[in-house]
Amino acid sequence: MPSLLELARLILADDGTPYSPAYGDVYHSAAGGHAQATHVFMGGNGLPGRWRGRSRFVILETGFGLGTNFLATWLAWQNDPQRCAELHFISLEKHPFAAADLARAHQGWPAFAALSAELIQHWPAPESLRPGEHRLVLSEGRVVLHLVFGDALACLPRLDTEVDAFYLDGFSPAKNPDLWSPELCRSLRRLAVPGATLATWSVAGAVRRALSDAGFAVEKRPGFAEKRQMLVGRSIQQPV
């Protein structure tokens, strides 16, 4: 039986922003997690427009964290009358939060209240927070959250799916380099459908080079809040 994961702990920085002492970084901008998710990850991937008229749309995220990006995406999907029939959201996480900490953190976003309650209801029990995959079926079966708990570099090669959009949202490349490595970027590109898109708040040169070498065309766009720029990309060639 795989050992239990090392869980994250909900700790707030002086300004109230959730903070990870393990990585020395915040989980989202102090200007707001919901707004950051909307501008950087959804906007950077052309959502909600790109899922309209589709039977199924698949998003993969590197770092579930507090679930802010997922909840923002789910809420936008729910409020879109032209939404795709099914939304599949795959999220990698090495250090998940327990349900109680997630619920406490989500209290800061009243817009997420109903969705957070449904998510917490389906969140794996403490004894189930082990390395591996967990499939949460939400919104009467129309939204699937596929959680992958464990080291991303080890888990990604085992995934067999086609991804339409990527949310690259690990901690800072300087503090968590594995989630931005050339190896990880190649693993992401393997899963990308033709024309798959990506978005991230990081514009670090090493990140741009790793994504370009893996087969993504990347460009800078105006960033969110204190970040002057962000990065978007599109798959353009076969994996190397």
Side-chain angles (χ1 to χ4, degrees), residues 59-125:
I59 298 168
L60 187 147
E61 173 185 50
T62 57
F64 185 79
L66 292 166
T68 316
N69 295 333
F70 170 65
L71 289 170
T73 303
W74 185 9
L75 181 62
W77 175 88
Q78 179 178 267
N79 292 338
D80 184 3
Q82 301 178 63
R83 60 185 175 266
C84 53
E86 295 182 4
L87 177 66
H88 288 241
F89 197 101
I90 305 163
S91 192
L92 309 168
E93 182 54 62
K94 189 174 183 179
H95 302 296
F97 283 95
D101 273 345
L102 285 180
R104 186 156 62 95
H106 295 169
Q107 290 174 1
W109 298 298
F112 294 155
L115 301 185
S116 171
E118 185 174 351
L119 174 65
I120 299 304
Q121 180 184 358
H122 289 82
W123 194 254

Side-chain angles (χ1 to χ4, degrees), residues 36-198:
Q36 176 179 287
T38 301
H39 179 90
V40 176
F41 299 104
M42 293 191 62
N45 278 289
L47 300 174
R50 287 184 57 232
W51 65 40
R52 290 175 176 161
R54 298 278 298 273
S55 59
R56 184 173 185 262
F57 195 86
V58 180
I59 298 168
L60 187 147
E61 173 185 50
T62 57
F64 185 79
L66 292 166
T68 316
N69 295 333
F70 170 65
L71 289 170
T73 303
W74 185 9
L75 181 62
W77 175 88
Q78 179 178 267
N79 292 338
D80 184 3
Q82 301 178 63
R83 60 185 175 266
C84 53
E86 295 182 4
L87 177 66
H88 288 241
F89 197 101
I90 305 163
S91 192
L92 309 168
E93 182 54 62
K94 189 174 183 179
H95 302 296
F97 283 95
D101 273 345
L102 285 180
R104 186 156 62 95
H106 295 169
Q107 290 174 1
W109 298 298
F112 294 155
L115 301 185
S116 171
E118 185 174 351
L119 174 65
I120 299 304
Q121 180 184 358
H122 289 82
W123 194 254
E127 62 273 15
S128 298
L129 287 172
R130 300 176 182 274
E133 300 183 24
H134 305 261
R135 191 171 186 267
L136 281 57
V137 180
L138 309 163
S139 283
E140 299 180 336
R142 295 187 64 188
V143 173
V144 174
L145 173 59
H146 183 173
L147 295 166
V148 184
F149 291 155
D151 182 86
L153 288 175
C155 294
L156 271 173
R158 296 198 292 267
L159 290 181
D160 183 16
T161 189
E162 294 186 332
V163 177
D164 299 293
F166 296 93
Y167 292 2
L168 307 188
D169 195 24
F171 290 115
S172 165
K175 298 174 180 179
N176 189 21
D178 287 350
L179 271 189
W180 309 91
S181 67
E183 180 183 357
L184 182 130
C185 293
R186 288 193 294 269
S187 289
L188 297 178
R189 179 60 185 84
R190 179 183 66 84
L191 302 174
V193 300
T197 60
L198 65 87

Side-chain angles (χ1 to χ4, degrees), residues 7 23 89 106 131 203 207 210 225 235:
L7 301 187
Y23 291 96
F89 197 101
H106 295 169
V203 293
V207 172
S235 61

